[in-house]
Amino acid sequence: MNMQERLAAARGDVEADLVLRGGRLINVFSGAIEETDIVIAGENVVGFGSGYPAREVHDLDGAFVAPGLIDAHVHIESSLCTVPQFARAVVPHGTTTVITDPHEIANVLGLDGIRYMLETAKYGPLTVYVNVPSCVPATP
């Protein structure tokens, strides 16, 4: 879905793919809980509020909705967990995405270690982005 299509859905000019009706959105900036509908086009939230047309509607019946947390700098291997096990620990608490700096595994296993982390993260519930480690090798 391109930008023009998302904007048209955000304006209500075309049907969105999905509207989540009757939810209580937790505003993590203000701390307020706002009763609103959530409008989704493609993979993006494009609007909040009532009156949006959609191909599919789900009634949330007052359920709470909170955005996922993004951990912008983590060393998964420092937890002594594999990526799937790390995901089992953090996803239930609201972390949906991490940006990992795999310098420890890179210093031990090199590119094979980074490839291992990427492969084990591929099909899990946690979105994992990998930074290129800045301190590899650790010593000359």
Side-chain angles (χ1 to χ4, degrees):
M1 175 171 285
N2 66 37
M3 179 68 76
Q4 287 79 16
E5 293 168 324
R6 288 194 304 271
L7 288 171
R11 290 189 305 266
D13 295 344
V14 299
E15 285 187 327
D17 293 317
L18 174 65
V19 169
L20 302 173
R21 290 239 158 92
R24 291 185 280 176
L25 179 64
I26 301 168
N27 184 325
V28 296
F29 295 111
S30 69
I33 297 174
E34 304 168 16
E35 293 185 19
T36 189
D37 296 344
I38 301 167
V39 185
I40 300 169
E43 295 182 356
N44 300 101
V45 173
V46 297
F48 300 99
S50 61
Y52 283 92
R55 289 184 196 93
E56 189 175 347
V57 176
H58 287 288
D59 185 358
L60 296 181
D61 195 29
F64 288 95
V65 179
L69 303 174
I70 300 173
D71 188 333
H73 188 108
V74 66
H75 301 274
I76 292 175
E77 69 276 29
S78 295
S79 70
L80 302 179
C81 293
T82 62
V83 175
Q85 191 61 36
F86 184 81
R88 283 186 199 96
V90 301
V91 170
H93 297 282
T95 300
T96 59
T97 304
V98 297
I99 302 167
T100 186
D101 179 352
H103 69 84
E104 294 168 347
I105 199 166
N107 274 315
V108 174
L109 297 174
L111 281 174
D112 287 340
I114 295 172
R115 286 186 188 108
Y116 167 77
M117 288 186 77
L118 288 168
E119 189 61 32
T120 60
K122 197 181 285 185
Y123 301 107
L126 182 68
T127 300
V128 178
Y129 295 100
V130 177
N131 267 341
V132 175
S134 62
C135 53
V136 175
T139 61

